[in-house]
Amino acid sequence: ETGVTQSPTHLIKTRGQQVTLRCSSQSGHNTVSWYQQALGQGPQFIFQYYREEENGRGNFPPRFSGLQFPNYSSELNVNALELDDSALYLCASSLKGKGHNEQFFGPGTRLTVL
Amino acid sequence: DAKTTQPTSMDCAEGRAANLPCNHSTISGNEYVYWYRQIHSQGPQYIIHGLKNNETNEMASLIITEDRKSSTLILPHATLRDTAVYYCITPYGGATNKLIFGTGTLLAVQP
């Protein structure tokens, strides 16, 4: 158990819809990163938030957006869902600014787009 | 990001040491080597990291070659619960916050 929680655990949407995934960071952590993991692949970095500001982004289109709240919890929003968006979405929290610290991952949200 | 190369899969007998290799020949001087693992249906879990010295913690040992172009993760006494995909990662610019995962090595520990 890492202390990082995600909701919901599973979600089914249809193409074109919008989805919001939620992440609660480990206590004391100020940074959250989001990853997409397609079946049989390693996680792919989507973006990172530090103190409520986006702090780096991977190769994902603008319809992937996020928020980080003052309590450091976070949301990932995906608009205009496509079939290829079906994946496991992982969030990871860490404490930025204190040397090299590992990321603590949540269990993920399994999104299926039909 | 330095690119890493790992074998697709490996087997190990329960109770024996598991040695997982990783090549990172383009690694730069300030890039650390990190290892994570992902047990089926769970999020990745940090194992260990190092720069140029060998490192050991309660989970594993990390051996980095002197030229830093490769490393080996050692699980000294593998158990069935160590069956997982193991990822060797060299985060961009030494920062830990943007992990670029490859496809990793599937370690199957056999009874």
Side-chain angles (χ1 to χ4, degrees):
Chain A
E1 293 286 333
T2 62
V4 178
T5 60
Q6 294 187 243
S7 62
T9 54
H10 296 84
L11 198 56
I12 299 175
K13 291 285 189 178
T14 57
R15 197 169 43 182
Q17 284 189 309
Q18 178 265 343
V19 69
T20 297
L21 309 181
R22 294 179 175 82
C23 172
S24 178
S25 300
Q26 183 165 321
S27 178
H29 284 181
N30 56 16
T31 303
V32 64
S33 303
W34 285 91
Y35 296 83
Q36 179 196 68
Q37 186 173 25
L39 203 60
Q41 304 294 316
Q44 301 297 304
F45 175 72
I46 303 175
F47 44 55
Q48 178 188 97
Y49 279 80
Y50 169 61
R51 292 185 176 178
E52 304 176 57
E53 297 283 335
E54 189 177 290
N55 181 47
R57 189 180 184 91
N59 188 27
F60 281 81
R63 60 189 185 84
F64 285 78
S65 63
L67 283 172
Q68 187 182 29
F69 300 100
N71 67 355
Y72 300 129
S73 65
S74 177
E75 287 182 354
L76 165 66
N77 299 289
V78 187
N79 294 322
L81 284 167
E82 301 176 359
L83 298 179
D84 285 348
D85 295 333
S86 294
L88 179 69
Y89 288 85
L90 296 157
C91 79
S93 74
S94 57
L95 181 60
K96 185 178 176 70
K98 196 177 180 183
H100 294 269
N101 297 91
E102 70 258 36
Q103 295 193 29
F104 294 83
F105 283 81
T109 294
R110 173 73 63 186
L111 173 65
T112 301
V113 181
L114 303 176
Chain B
D1 295 346
K3 180 179 178 180
T4 62
T5 305
Q6 300 177 254
T8 303
S9 62
M10 294 181 63
D11 288 344
C12 177
E14 188 177 19
R16 303 298 294 270
N19 297 282
L20 293 93
C22 178
N23 287 321
H24 31 79
S25 57
T26 60
I27 195 170
S28 63
N30 63 346
E31 288 184 325
Y32 281 67
V33 180
Y34 278 73
W35 285 82
Y36 281 73
R37 73 179 182 183
Q38 188 172 24
I39 296 170
H40 184 63
S41 298
Q42 297 182 22
Q45 175 191 23
Y46 166 83
I47 301 172
I48 199 168
H49 75 277
L51 182 62
K52 54 184 176 181
N53 297 320
N54 297 338
E55 302 288 344
T56 296
N57 63 19
E58 65 278 6
M59 288 183 69
S61 295
L62 175 60
I63 309 298
I64 302 173
T65 59
E66 191 169 344
D67 62 9
R68 302 209 328 117
K69 293 185 176 181
S70 65
S71 60
T72 301
L73 178 74
I74 301 172
L75 307 178
H77 306 287
T79 71
L80 299 179
R81 288 177 294 181
D82 291 323
T83 293
V85 178
Y86 287 77
Y87 296 99
C88 168
I89 300 165
T90 54
Y92 175 74
T96 64
N97 293 310
K98 299 165 188 174
L99 301 176
I100 308 299
F101 290 82
T103 52
T105 296
L106 174 59
L107 175 68
V109 180
Q110 310 290 345

mmCIF file of all heavy atoms in Angstrom, chain B residues 59-90:
data_model
loop_
_atom_site.group_PDB
_atom_site.id
_atom_site.type_symbol
_atom_site.label_atom_id
_atom_site.label_comp_id
_atom_site.label_asym_id
_atom_site.label_seq_id
_atom_site.Cartn_x
_atom_site.Cartn_y
_atom_site.Cartn_z
ATOM 1 N N MET B 59 15.248 -4.624 -0.443
ATOM 2 C CA MET B 59 14.620 -5.356 -1.532
ATOM 3 C C MET B 59 15.628 -5.982 -2.488
ATOM 4 O O MET B 59 15.406 -7.089 -2.983
ATOM 5 C CB MET B 59 13.704 -4.431 -2.343
ATOM 6 C CG MET B 59 12.429 -4.037 -1.643
ATOM 7 S SD MET B 59 11.388 -3.015 -2.699
ATOM 8 C CE MET B 59 10.895 -4.202 -3.946
ATOM 9 N N ALA B 60 16.712 -5.251 -2.787
ATOM 10 C CA ALA B 60 17.572 -5.687 -3.873
ATOM 11 C C ALA B 60 18.938 -5.006 -3.791
ATOM 12 O O ALA B 60 19.165 -4.119 -2.967
ATOM 13 C CB ALA B 60 16.915 -5.334 -5.207
ATOM 14 N N SER B 61 19.822 -5.457 -4.687
ATOM 15 C CA SER B 61 21.114 -4.805 -4.888
ATOM 16 C C SER B 61 21.202 -4.329 -6.323
ATOM 17 O O SER B 61 20.637 -4.960 -7.228
ATOM 18 C CB SER B 61 22.259 -5.771 -4.599
ATOM 19 O OG SER B 61 22.279 -6.136 -3.233
ATOM 20 N N LEU B 62 21.901 -3.227 -6.524
ATOM 21 C CA LEU B 62 22.100 -2.667 -7.852
ATOM 22 C C LEU B 62 23.592 -2.576 -8.103
ATOM 23 O O LEU B 62 24.315 -1.921 -7.327
ATOM 24 C CB LEU B 62 21.450 -1.291 -7.959
ATOM 25 C CG LEU B 62 21.658 -0.517 -9.252
ATOM 26 C CD1 LEU B 62 21.105 -1.290 -10.445
ATOM 27 C CD2 LEU B 62 21.003 0.864 -9.161
ATOM 28 N N ILE B 63 24.034 -3.240 -9.168
ATOM 29 C CA ILE B 63 25.437 -3.223 -9.551
ATOM 30 C C ILE B 63 25.546 -2.421 -10.845
ATOM 31 O O ILE B 63 24.927 -2.779 -11.855
ATOM 32 C CB ILE B 63 25.980 -4.640 -9.778
ATOM 33 C CG1 ILE B 63 25.663 -5.535 -8.577
ATOM 34 C CG2 ILE B 63 27.478 -4.595 -10.060
ATOM 35 C CD1 ILE B 63 26.292 -5.096 -7.282
ATOM 36 N N ILE B 64 26.319 -1.348 -10.821
ATOM 37 C CA ILE B 64 26.503 -0.493 -12.000
ATOM 38 C C ILE B 64 27.941 -0.637 -12.452
ATOM 39 O O ILE B 64 28.870 -0.519 -11.636
ATOM 40 C CB ILE B 64 26.188 0.982 -11.669
ATOM 41 C CG1 ILE B 64 24.749 1.101 -11.139
ATOM 42 C CG2 ILE B 64 26.368 1.861 -12.899
ATOM 43 C CD1 ILE B 64 24.391 2.485 -10.636
ATOM 44 N N THR B 65 28.153 -0.900 -13.739
ATOM 45 C CA THR B 65 29.507 -1.052 -14.240
ATOM 46 C C THR B 65 30.267 0.272 -14.146
ATOM 47 O O THR B 65 29.669 1.354 -14.076
ATOM 48 C CB THR B 65 29.490 -1.532 -15.701
ATOM 49 O OG1 THR B 65 28.765 -0.581 -16.500
ATOM 50 C CG2 THR B 65 28.844 -2.899 -15.814
ATOM 51 N N GLU B 66 31.573 0.157 -14.175
ATOM 52 C CA GLU B 66 32.403 1.348 -13.972
ATOM 53 C C GLU B 66 32.168 2.399 -15.057
ATOM 54 O O GLU B 66 32.204 3.601 -14.792
ATOM 55 C CB GLU B 66 33.888 0.946 -13.939
ATOM 56 C CG GLU B 66 34.807 2.055 -13.462
ATOM 57 C CD GLU B 66 36.217 1.553 -13.181
ATOM 58 O OE1 GLU B 66 36.401 0.330 -13.064
ATOM 59 O OE2 GLU B 66 37.123 2.392 -13.080
ATOM 60 N N ASP B 67 31.926 1.943 -16.302
ATOM 61 C CA ASP B 67 31.661 2.888 -17.380
ATOM 62 C C ASP B 67 30.195 3.345 -17.397
ATOM 63 O O ASP B 67 29.810 4.166 -18.240
ATOM 64 C CB ASP B 67 32.041 2.305 -18.741
ATOM 65 C CG ASP B 67 31.241 1.065 -19.108
ATOM 66 O OD1 ASP B 67 30.272 0.731 -18.394
ATOM 67 O OD2 ASP B 67 31.568 0.418 -20.111
ATOM 68 N N ARG B 68 29.390 2.822 -16.491
ATOM 69 C CA ARG B 68 27.980 3.168 -16.318
ATOM 70 C C ARG B 68 27.111 2.838 -17.529
ATOM 71 O O ARG B 68 25.987 3.301 -17.628
ATOM 72 C CB ARG B 68 27.821 4.649 -15.961
ATOM 73 C CG ARG B 68 28.545 5.066 -14.736
ATOM 74 C CD ARG B 68 27.959 6.217 -13.967
ATOM 75 N NE ARG B 68 27.274 7.205 -14.748
ATOM 76 C CZ ARG B 68 25.980 7.476 -14.636
ATOM 77 N NH1 ARG B 68 25.226 6.840 -13.764
ATOM 78 N NH2 ARG B 68 25.409 8.398 -15.390
ATOM 79 N N LYS B 69 27.600 2.010 -18.425
ATOM 80 C CA LYS B 69 26.811 1.695 -19.615
ATOM 81 C C LYS B 69 25.859 0.536 -19.388
ATOM 82 O O LYS B 69 25.035 0.219 -20.257
ATOM 83 C CB LYS B 69 27.739 1.408 -20.794
ATOM 84 C CG LYS B 69 28.501 2.652 -21.242
ATOM 85 C CD LYS B 69 29.316 2.375 -22.476
ATOM 86 C CE LYS B 69 29.988 3.681 -22.946
ATOM 87 N NZ LYS B 69 30.792 3.473 -24.182
ATOM 88 N N SER B 70 25.977 -0.129 -18.260
ATOM 89 C CA SER B 70 25.033 -1.198 -17.964
ATOM 90 C C SER B 70 24.928 -1.373 -16.453
ATOM 91 O O SER B 70 25.777 -0.893 -15.688
ATOM 92 C CB SER B 70 25.444 -2.507 -18.624
ATOM 93 O OG SER B 70 26.665 -2.966 -18.073
ATOM 94 N N SER B 71 23.870 -2.060 -16.056
ATOM 95 C CA SER B 71 23.677 -2.340 -14.642
ATOM 96 C C SER B 71 22.931 -3.667 -14.489
ATOM 97 O O SER B 71 22.363 -4.189 -15.463
ATOM 98 C CB SER B 71 22.896 -1.212 -13.950
ATOM 99 O OG SER B 71 21.612 -1.047 -14.522
ATOM 100 N N THR B 72 22.972 -4.200 -13.291
ATOM 101 C CA THR B 72 22.270 -5.443 -12.982
ATOM 102 C C THR B 72 21.523 -5.284 -11.667
ATOM 103 O O THR B 72 22.109 -4.844 -10.672
ATOM 104 C CB THR B 72 23.246 -6.629 -12.859
ATOM 105 O OG1 THR B 72 23.950 -6.779 -14.091
ATOM 106 C CG2 THR B 72 22.509 -7.923 -12.542
ATOM 107 N N LEU B 73 20.257 -5.616 -11.697
ATOM 108 C CA LEU B 73 19.460 -5.664 -10.473
ATOM 109 C C LEU B 73 19.509 -7.086 -9.951
ATOM 110 O O LEU B 73 19.268 -8.033 -10.705
ATOM 111 C CB LEU B 73 18.007 -5.267 -10.759
ATOM 112 C CG LEU B 73 17.077 -5.319 -9.562
ATOM 113 C CD1 LEU B 73 17.348 -4.141 -8.628
ATOM 114 C CD2 LEU B 73 15.620 -5.322 -10.006
ATOM 115 N N ILE B 74 19.812 -7.226 -8.681
ATOM 116 C CA ILE B 74 19.909 -8.560 -8.082
ATOM 117 C C ILE B 74 18.870 -8.706 -6.971
ATOM 118 O O ILE B 74 18.857 -7.921 -6.022
ATOM 119 C CB ILE B 74 21.317 -8.813 -7.510
ATOM 120 C CG1 ILE B 74 22.366 -8.694 -8.613
ATOM 121 C CG2 ILE B 74 21.385 -10.204 -6.863
ATOM 122 C CD1 ILE B 74 23.785 -8.727 -8.114
ATOM 123 N N LEU B 75 18.002 -9.699 -7.127
ATOM 124 C CA LEU B 75 17.106 -10.106 -6.051
ATOM 125 C C LEU B 75 17.756 -11.331 -5.426
ATOM 126 O O LEU B 75 17.815 -12.389 -6.056
ATOM 127 C CB LEU B 75 15.714 -10.444 -6.589
ATOM 128 C CG LEU B 75 15.036 -9.390 -7.463
ATOM 129 C CD1 LEU B 75 13.682 -9.904 -7.939
ATOM 130 C CD2 LEU B 75 14.867 -8.101 -6.710
ATOM 131 N N PRO B 76 18.272 -11.245 -4.209
ATOM 132 C CA PRO B 76 19.150 -12.300 -3.700
ATOM 133 C C PRO B 76 18.471 -13.665 -3.500
ATOM 134 O O PRO B 76 19.098 -14.691 -3.697
ATOM 135 C CB PRO B 76 19.665 -11.731 -2.377
ATOM 136 C CG PRO B 76 18.719 -10.648 -2.021
ATOM 137 C CD PRO B 76 18.157 -10.111 -3.292
ATOM 138 N N HIS B 77 17.232 -13.674 -3.110
ATOM 139 C CA HIS B 77 16.509 -14.932 -2.884
ATOM 140 C C HIS B 77 15.086 -14.758 -3.421
ATOM 141 O O HIS B 77 14.180 -14.367 -2.691
ATOM 142 C CB HIS B 77 16.474 -15.287 -1.390
ATOM 143 C CG HIS B 77 17.822 -15.329 -0.734
ATOM 144 N ND1 HIS B 77 18.721 -16.354 -0.954
ATOM 145 C CD2 HIS B 77 18.429 -14.467 0.104
ATOM 146 C CE1 HIS B 77 19.822 -16.115 -0.257
ATOM 147 N NE2 HIS B 77 19.676 -14.976 0.392
ATOM 148 N N ALA B 78 14.929 -15.024 -4.690
ATOM 149 C CA ALA B 78 13.646 -14.753 -5.329
ATOM 150 C C ALA B 78 12.531 -15.629 -4.757
ATOM 151 O O ALA B 78 12.727 -16.816 -4.476
ATOM 152 C CB ALA B 78 13.757 -14.965 -6.831
ATOM 153 N N THR B 79 11.364 -15.034 -4.597
ATOM 154 C CA THR B 79 10.176 -15.772 -4.180
ATOM 155 C C THR B 79 9.117 -15.646 -5.276
ATOM 156 O O THR B 79 9.246 -14.837 -6.198
ATOM 157 C CB THR B 79 9.598 -15.223 -2.867
ATOM 158 O OG1 THR B 79 9.013 -13.927 -3.130
ATOM 159 C CG2 THR B 79 10.676 -15.083 -1.799
ATOM 160 N N LEU B 80 8.075 -16.450 -5.157
ATOM 161 C CA LEU B 80 7.011 -16.414 -6.160
ATOM 162 C C LEU B 80 6.405 -15.021 -6.266
ATOM 163 O O LEU B 80 5.957 -14.605 -7.340
ATOM 164 C CB LEU B 80 5.933 -17.444 -5.822
ATOM 165 C CG LEU B 80 6.394 -18.907 -5.794
ATOM 166 C CD1 LEU B 80 5.222 -19.824 -5.418
ATOM 167 C CD2 LEU B 80 6.981 -19.328 -7.131
ATOM 168 N N ARG B 81 6.385 -14.286 -5.138
ATOM 169 C CA ARG B 81 5.817 -12.942 -5.131
ATOM 170 C C ARG B 81 6.679 -11.919 -5.873
ATOM 171 O O ARG B 81 6.248 -10.781 -6.083
ATOM 172 C CB ARG B 81 5.591 -12.478 -3.698
ATOM 173 C CG ARG B 81 4.431 -13.175 -3.010
ATOM 174 C CD ARG B 81 4.295 -12.740 -1.572
ATOM 175 N NE ARG B 81 5.432 -13.174 -0.769
ATOM 176 C CZ ARG B 81 5.561 -12.940 0.529
ATOM 177 N NH1 ARG B 81 4.644 -12.256 1.179
ATOM 178 N NH2 ARG B 81 6.610 -13.379 1.196
ATOM 179 N N ASP B 82 7.887 -12.314 -6.263
ATOM 180 C CA ASP B 82 8.738 -11.425 -7.048
ATOM 181 C C ASP B 82 8.437 -11.516 -8.546
ATOM 182 O O ASP B 82 9.046 -10.792 -9.340
ATOM 183 C CB ASP B 82 10.216 -11.759 -6.800
ATOM 184 C CG ASP B 82 10.656 -11.401 -5.383
ATOM 185 O OD1 ASP B 82 10.186 -10.351 -4.867
ATOM 186 O OD2 ASP B 82 11.455 -12.166 -4.804
ATOM 187 N N THR B 83 7.539 -12.396 -8.930
ATOM 188 C CA THR B 83 7.132 -12.471 -10.334
ATOM 189 C C THR B 83 6.465 -11.157 -10.725
ATOM 190 O O THR B 83 5.463 -10.751 -10.126
ATOM 191 C CB THR B 83 6.162 -13.649 -10.559
ATOM 192 O OG1 THR B 83 6.873 -14.871 -10.359
ATOM 193 C CG2 THR B 83 5.585 -13.615 -11.963
ATOM 194 N N ALA B 84 7.063 -10.478 -11.702
ATOM 195 C CA ALA B 84 6.612 -9.136 -12.064
ATOM 196 C C ALA B 84 7.363 -8.685 -13.314
ATOM 197 O O ALA B 84 8.297 -9.347 -13.774
ATOM 198 C CB ALA B 84 6.894 -8.135 -10.924
ATOM 199 N N VAL B 85 6.966 -7.536 -13.860
ATOM 200 C CA VAL B 85 7.733 -6.870 -14.912
ATOM 201 C C VAL B 85 8.658 -5.866 -14.243
ATOM 202 O O VAL B 85 8.197 -5.040 -13.443
ATOM 203 C CB VAL B 85 6.817 -6.172 -15.924
ATOM 204 C CG1 VAL B 85 7.648 -5.439 -16.972
ATOM 205 C CG2 VAL B 85 5.885 -7.172 -16.585
ATOM 206 N N TYR B 86 9.944 -5.954 -14.552
ATOM 207 C CA TYR B 86 10.954 -5.089 -13.951
ATOM 208 C C TYR B 86 11.418 -4.062 -14.989
ATOM 209 O O TYR B 86 11.823 -4.419 -16.086
ATOM 210 C CB TYR B 86 12.133 -5.922 -13.446
ATOM 211 C CG TYR B 86 11.778 -6.698 -12.204
ATOM 212 C CD1 TYR B 86 11.005 -7.861 -12.294
ATOM 213 C CD2 TYR B 86 12.161 -6.264 -10.946
ATOM 214 C CE1 TYR B 86 10.628 -8.567 -11.152
ATOM 215 C CE2 TYR B 86 11.811 -6.958 -9.799
ATOM 216 C CZ TYR B 86 11.040 -8.104 -9.916
ATOM 217 O OH TYR B 86 10.671 -8.799 -8.779
ATOM 218 N N TYR B 87 11.356 -2.795 -14.609
ATOM 219 C CA TYR B 87 11.716 -1.705 -15.503
ATOM 220 C C TYR B 87 13.006 -1.031 -15.028
ATOM 221 O O TYR B 87 13.115 -0.640 -13.871
ATOM 222 C CB TYR B 87 10.610 -0.648 -15.536
ATOM 223 C CG TYR B 87 9.287 -1.101 -16.082
ATOM 224 C CD1 TYR B 87 8.245 -1.477 -15.233
ATOM 225 C CD2 TYR B 87 9.062 -1.147 -17.454
ATOM 226 C CE1 TYR B 87 7.023 -1.869 -15.731
ATOM 227 C CE2 TYR B 87 7.828 -1.544 -17.964
ATOM 228 C CZ TYR B 87 6.821 -1.908 -17.090
ATOM 229 O OH TYR B 87 5.613 -2.309 -17.600
ATOM 230 N N CYS B 88 13.918 -0.864 -15.959
ATOM 231 C CA CYS B 88 15.146 -0.118 -15.742
ATOM 232 C C CYS B 88 14.942 1.245 -16.408
ATOM 233 O O CYS B 88 14.578 1.309 -17.585
ATOM 234 C CB CYS B 88 16.305 -0.884 -16.370
ATOM 235 S SG CYS B 88 17.854 0.021 -16.516
ATOM 236 N N ILE B 89 15.149 2.325 -15.674
ATOM 237 C CA ILE B 89 14.797 3.659 -16.168
ATOM 238 C C ILE B 89 15.923 4.630 -15.865
ATOM 239 O O ILE B 89 16.491 4.605 -14.774
ATOM 240 C CB ILE B 89 13.508 4.155 -15.481
ATOM 241 C CG1 ILE B 89 12.334 3.201 -15.754
ATOM 242 C CG2 ILE B 89 13.150 5.570 -15.923
ATOM 243 C CD1 ILE B 89 11.159 3.416 -14.829
ATOM 244 N N THR B 90 16.209 5.501 -16.835
ATOM 245 C CA THR B 90 17.150 6.584 -16.579
ATOM 246 C C THR B 90 16.390 7.884 -16.803
ATOM 247 O O THR B 90 16.283 8.371 -17.922
ATOM 248 C CB THR B 90 18.364 6.515 -17.517
ATOM 249 O OG1 THR B 90 17.918 6.461 -18.869
ATOM 250 C CG2 THR B 90 19.190 5.277 -17.233
#
